[in-house]
Amino acid sequence: MWHLVSYDAGLMTNSHKKHRLAVIGGDGIGPEVTVEALKVIRAAGVDLETTDFDLGGARYLRDGEVLSDAVLEQLRGFDAILLGAVGTPDVPPGLIERGLLLKMRFELDLYINQRPFVGTAPGHTEPHNFVVIRENTEGPYVGEGGVLRRGTLNEVATQGSVNTRMGVERCIRYAFELAAGRERKHVTLVHKTNVLTFAGDLWQRTFNIVAAEFPQVGTAYNHVDAACIYFVQDPHRYDVIVTDNLFGDILTDLGGAVSGGIGLASSANLNPARTGPSMFEPVHGSAPDIVGTGKANPTAAILSAALMLDFLGEGDAADRVRAACANPVSGSTSQIADAIAAKLTA
């Protein structure tokens, strides 16, 4: 049996290295929360060399730049990318998403989207702690499909889901490696194998093959509709979830909703093979209606930066940042970050 490049998903320590970081503040509240995240990371004692890139909806409206191949080549030279948020109401939907975010995912091979969820769901008293591993470069997001007779009563639109054995296996293998280092050691595959019989069969067969290599890790399967119910009614059943691109996109928003709100949700877009930089971003969006008001909570950006520290080998600093964020802090955007930073330097 063949194997893909493996990545040890556990934390590492690399506390004396200076990390070269590309910073894309983006649009709306993105620049505001990104500045505060960098403040907290530096307070944790991590040495950063940052370079700002002006990308996003505002840049596109100014000169038509989304993400040129030349800028993409510059990004390849960094250790990691920290992104705030992109998108403005004046830019057509999908243009920035496909031209910037998806282009980075595909071109930098950011094939793992990792989102941790720690919190207490509404109606529960005990906290949950699970991680969703979403395949990040295949599925319906590849753009396979087309339209015939657009704008007529006989219009036909198709949107295919592309799943490769390589893409599915490397995602599932990452999930098992991550679970093997966690306390509960359990992975749940989420799909819709009873209806999506071709893609679902590939995912299930590959899951079973990889699972055989990790006898210490327990396994389960849920249909995605059942998983949505369990996220609300019984999130404690989960440890690590692995799923495809579309289902992962939906489930992770629901995960945020049952873990304190999407405004606190962190995200890592990873290239575990390290053939290029990984990208880290909060998932709350650009929120143009509160720009400059100080109402934006920077915690999701700070927690996303903590995921970046994990990947850069700064596991101790990452743990300290998460601990400093554990108890909610009130105040303005900068006041929240200052309070978190103060815990790190006390």
Side-chain angles (χ1 to χ4, degrees), residues 1-4 138 162-173 202-203 205-207 209-210 213:
M1 171 163 172
W2 55 276
H3 295 270
L4 299 169
E138 296 189 347
V162 177
N163 300 264
T164 68
R165 170 60 185 269
M166 181 193 75
V168 171
E169 177 164 347
R170 65 183 183 175
C171 178
I172 291 173
R173 187 173 299 282
L202 173 59
W203 275 85
R205 284 187 291 109
T206 307
F207 183 85
I209 290 169
V210 176
E213 301 177 34

Side-chain angles (χ1 to χ4, degrees), residues 33 37 262-267 281-284 297-306:
V33 297
I262 198 69
L264 300 178
S266 57
S267 173
E281 58 171 331
V283 297
H284 48 53
N297 189 331
T299 305
I302 294 167
L303 291 173
S304 297

Side-chain angles (χ1 to χ4, degrees), residues 217-233:
V217 177
T219 62
Y221 170 80
N222 290 161
H223 290 323
V224 65
D225 43 349
C228 289
I229 296 172
Y230 296 145
F231 265 42
V232 176
Q233 294 184 346

Side-chain angles (χ1 to χ4, degrees), residues 24-28 30 55-57 83-88 96-97 100-101 104 281 285-287:
I24 304 173
D27 301 309
L55 298 170
L83 185 144
V86 293
T88 66
I96 300 299
E97 291 82 356
L100 177 58
L101 298 179
M104 282 198 290
E281 58 171 331
S286 59

Side-chain angles (χ1 to χ4, degrees), residues 69-318:
D69 291 342
V71 173
L72 183 64
E73 282 304 309
Q74 285 183 271
L75 292 175
R76 291 184 192 277
F78 288 86
D79 298 319
I81 302 166
L82 183 64
L83 185 144
V86 293
T88 66
D90 298 325
V91 177
L95 193 151
I96 300 299
E97 291 82 356
R98 295 205 68 88
L100 177 58
L101 298 179
L102 291 187
K103 185 173 181 178
M104 282 198 290
R105 291 180 194 173
F106 296 145
E107 295 295 330
L108 300 177
D109 204 19
L110 307 178
Y111 62 85
I112 294 294
N113 181 257
Q114 179 170 328
R115 297 193 191 182
F117 297 102
V118 179
T120 302
H124 295 267
T125 57
E126 294 296 320
H128 56 259
N129 182 343
F130 63 89
V131 181
V132 177
I133 301 301
R134 164 191 172 191
E135 200 291 317
N136 212 30
T137 58
E138 296 189 347
Y141 292 66
V142 171
E144 190 274 336
V147 176
L148 294 174
R149 298 185 289 274
R150 182 181 178 89
T152 74
L153 294 177
N154 297 311
E155 182 172 340
V156 178
T158 64
Q159 193 80 58
S161 178
V162 177
N163 300 264
T164 68
R165 170 60 185 269
M166 181 193 75
V168 171
E169 177 164 347
R170 65 183 183 175
C171 178
I172 291 173
R173 187 173 299 282
Y174 181 91
F176 272 91
E177 291 175 350
L178 178 64
R182 288 168 62 89
E183 182 178 355
R184 292 178 58 190
K185 294 179 169 47
H186 192 276
V187 181
T188 302
L189 171 64
V190 173
H191 211 281
K192 192 68 175 172
T193 57
N194 60 335
V195 175
L196 304 177
T197 54
F198 302 124
D201 179 61
L202 173 59
W203 275 85
Q204 185 69 73
R205 284 187 291 109
T206 307
F207 183 85
N208 293 342
I209 290 169
V210 176
E213 301 177 34
F214 293 84
Q216 76 277 31
V217 177
T219 62
Y221 170 80
N222 290 161
H223 290 323
V224 65
D225 43 349
C228 289
I229 296 172
Y230 296 145
F231 265 42
V232 176
Q233 294 184 346
D234 186 22
H236 310 87
R237 70 170 55 209
Y238 294 118
D239 181 23
V240 176
I241 295 167
V242 64
T243 190
D244 82 344
N245 207 339
L246 178 59
F247 295 149
D249 194 1
I250 297 167
L251 284 175
T252 50
D253 280 356
L254 182 55
V258 300
S259 303
I262 198 69
L264 300 178
S266 57
S267 173
N269 298 272
L270 304 177
N271 176 338
R274 299 176 185 271
T275 58
S278 293
M279 188 266 283
F280 303 83
E281 58 171 331
V283 297
H284 48 53
S286 59
D289 56 320
I290 60 171
V291 172
T293 65
K295 294 180 180 179
N297 189 331
T299 305
I302 294 167
L303 291 173
S304 297
L307 290 173
M308 178 184 72
L309 295 183
D310 283 334
F311 202 73
L312 292 175
E314 302 284 358
D316 177 68

Side-chain angles (χ1 to χ4, degrees), residues 29-48:
I29 63 170
E32 299 175 24
V33 297
T34 302
V35 166
E36 304 304 331
L38 292 172
K39 176 197 299 179
V40 170
I41 296 308
R42 289 192 167 103
V46 178
D47 194 1
L48 299 176

